[in-house]
């Protein structure tokens, strides 16, 4: 469901998977659906009901604001669904998806793609007691996904990963963000404090001049630097008495989208929970929405400061 830029990637990967058959495509623009389905020889559906009658599961790759409505409808029609991230633009929408999937006994997986990045898979095996994270996710400007703020568009990936690595939600949030090229927040900086004292400093921007996807983790006696784009990570450790030992983590490179979809197909077959459940995606969304509230609070404070400063500036004679 959804034949946009990322929907095309799903079509390609599903078409080549030995574990699923591509039933067809549905998009509000039927001409576009026909165009993207042509290389794969699959059907172009005209309604959700037709889709549901000819498929066992669906990938929802539509604008975020439509995820809850479409996802709930397909779940009620008996399908397992993979919903692209973020799971919804509202908590009510996300909760409705989780409730519907639980009530109907359907698989609900959410497309937090970076959880399937081979570098993250390698990192998970060496995390002990995280004390500090430094995360940068910067992108060049694109008109895609401007229906949501950069926090829901880009930072949500890292929020999901941090929650998975920490196993708990933050107890304190500080955040600032500004709009530059859109009516939404385009760049944001966030400081999270988790129970136990771990700090995460996250910067997300969709108005950068370069593409950066990096995470740095500090824990007792070591530091790990991870690059999402290169799918690699290097581990630096203290080597007594005064040395530093460093070595790359063992990363088996692969396409994260292929790994994500294969996990979805496995969950459909075995009825085991997927790697990224609706509940986990809801938790990440809750933190993201709290961050947006903090950004708004900070913007209001800055506005008051500027107004006060302006009122005290003496007029030129």
């Amino acid at each position: 469901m959804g034949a946009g830029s990322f929907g095309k990637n799903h079509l390609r990967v599903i078409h080549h998977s030995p574990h699923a058959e591509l039933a067809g495509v549905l998009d509000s623009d039927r001409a576009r659906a026909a165009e993207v389905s042509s290389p794969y020889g699959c059907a172009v559906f005209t309604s959700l009901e037709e889709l549901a009658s000819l498929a066992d599961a669906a990938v929802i790759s539509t604008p975020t604001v439509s995820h809850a409505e479409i996802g709930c409808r397909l779940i009620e029609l008996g399908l397992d669904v993979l919903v692209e991230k973020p799971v919804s633009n509202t908590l009510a929408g996300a909760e409705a998806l989780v409730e519907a999937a639980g009530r109907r006994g359907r698989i609900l997986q959410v497309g937090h793609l970076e959880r399937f990045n081979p570098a993250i898979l390698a990192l998970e095996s060496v995390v002990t007691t995280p004390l500090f994270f430094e995360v940068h996710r910067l992108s060049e400007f694109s008109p895609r996904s401007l229906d949501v703020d950069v926090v829901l568009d880009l930072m949500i990936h890292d929020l999901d990963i941090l929650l998975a690595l920490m196993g708990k939600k933050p107890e304190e949030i500080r955040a600032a963000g500004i709009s530059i090229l859109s009516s939404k927040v385009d760049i944001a900086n966030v400081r999270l404090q988790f129970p136990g004292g771990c700090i995460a400093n996250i910067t997300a921007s969709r108005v950068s001049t370069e593409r950066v996807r990096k995470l740095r983790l500090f824990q007792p006696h070591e530091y790990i630097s991870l690059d999402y784009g290169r799918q690699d990570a290097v581990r630096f450790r203290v080597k007594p008495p005064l040395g530093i030992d460093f070595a790359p983590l063992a990363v088996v490179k692969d396409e994260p989208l292929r790994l994500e979809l294969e996990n979805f197909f496995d969950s459909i077959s075995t009825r085991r929970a997927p790697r990224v459940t609706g509940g986990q995606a809801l938790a990440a969304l809750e933190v993201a929405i709290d961050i947006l509230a903090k950004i708004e609070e900070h913007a209001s404070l800055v506005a008051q400061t500027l107004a006060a400063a302006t009122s005290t500036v003496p007029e030129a004679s």
Side-chain angles (χ1 to χ4, degrees):
M1 177 63 203
S5 58
F6 209 69
K8 294 178 185 177
N9 292 326
H10 281 287
L11 287 170
R12 170 182 56 81
V13 175
I14 295 170
H15 175 73
H16 289 103
S17 173
H19 301 121
E21 179 183 348
L22 182 58
V25 185
L26 174 60
D27 191 275
S28 57
D29 184 338
R30 191 167 185 186
R32 179 169 59 188
E35 178 185 353
V36 301
S37 67
S38 179
Y40 309 112
C42 61
V44 174
F45 299 130
T46 59
S47 68
L48 292 176
E49 289 71 23
E50 182 186 11
L51 182 159
S53 70
L54 297 171
D56 301 306
V59 173
I60 300 171
S61 186
T62 59
T64 304
V65 295
S66 65
H67 285 180
E69 180 182 359
I70 294 172
C72 286
R73 180 59 182 152
L74 290 176
I75 288 170
E76 295 297 345
L77 288 169
L79 271 64
D80 298 313
V81 297
L82 190 163
V83 180
E84 264 305 335
K85 67 80 197 168
V87 60
S88 176
N89 63 318
T90 67
L91 290 180
E95 290 166 351
L97 280 165
V98 172
E99 187 280 330
R103 175 169 43 79
R104 295 283 291 169
R106 296 292 93 196
I107 298 295
L108 170 60
Q109 182 170 334
V110 182
H112 283 284
L113 193 61
E114 294 288 30
R115 288 277 290 280
F116 294 88
N117 189 303
I120 287 293
L121 298 176
L123 176 66
E124 289 178 346
S125 66
V126 298
V127 171
T128 57
T129 309
L131 300 175
F132 184 77
F133 290 93
E134 183 76 29
V135 186
H136 289 87
R137 185 172 294 272
L138 316 178
S139 289
E140 298 166 330
F141 185 77
S142 167
R144 188 177 71 86
S145 298
L146 294 186
D147 60 326
V148 293
D149 298 273
V150 71
V151 175
L152 294 180
D153 181 17
L154 297 180
M155 190 182 288
I156 192 80
H157 282 297
D158 302 299
L159 298 177
D160 171 64
I161 286 170
L162 289 172
L163 294 185
L165 293 176
M166 293 300 299
K168 60 189 76 171
K169 295 175 69 173
E171 60 184 5
E172 181 183 354
I173 298 173
R174 295 187 179 183
I178 56 175
S179 302
I180 300 176
L181 298 179
S182 78
S183 61
K184 305 284 188 179
V185 173
D186 293 314
I187 181 169
N189 178 258
V190 175
R191 181 184 184 274
L192 305 178
Q193 180 170 317
F194 290 87
C198 178
I199 299 295
N201 190 32
I202 317 167
T203 299
S205 170
R206 56 187 181 195
V207 289
S208 176
T209 57
E210 58 181 335
R211 182 182 175 91
V212 177
R213 301 281 192 275
K214 291 186 177 180
L215 178 149
R216 298 174 180 87
L217 162 63
F218 299 82
Q219 56 189 13
H221 310 298
E222 67 179 4
Y223 150 59
I224 300 169
S225 178
L226 180 149
D227 190 302
Y228 290 99
R230 294 201 309 258
Q231 294 188 11
D232 62 28
V234 180
R235 190 180 192 183
F236 299 82
R237 289 185 284 187
V238 175
K239 184 179 181 181
L242 298 173
I244 295 292
D245 177 50
F246 65 92
L249 296 184
V251 176
V252 180
K253 294 189 177 183
D254 205 332
E255 182 179 6
L257 183 59
R258 189 192 74 80
L259 296 175
E260 178 183 78
L261 284 165
E262 289 300 326
N263 180 241
F264 183 45
F265 303 151
D266 180 70
S267 292
I268 294 169
S269 299
T270 64
R271 311 314 295 173
R272 290 194 295 260
R275 177 167 166 80
V276 184
T277 66
Q280 291 171 322
L282 173 59
L285 180 63
E286 287 173 340
V287 175
I289 289 177
D290 287 344
I291 287 170
L292 289 172
K294 290 293 184 180
I295 288 174
E296 187 173 343
E297 182 181 310
H298 179 263
S300 177
L301 178 62
V302 170
Q304 293 173 27
T305 301
L306 292 174
T310 302
S311 67
T312 60
V313 174
E315 293 183 6
S317 57

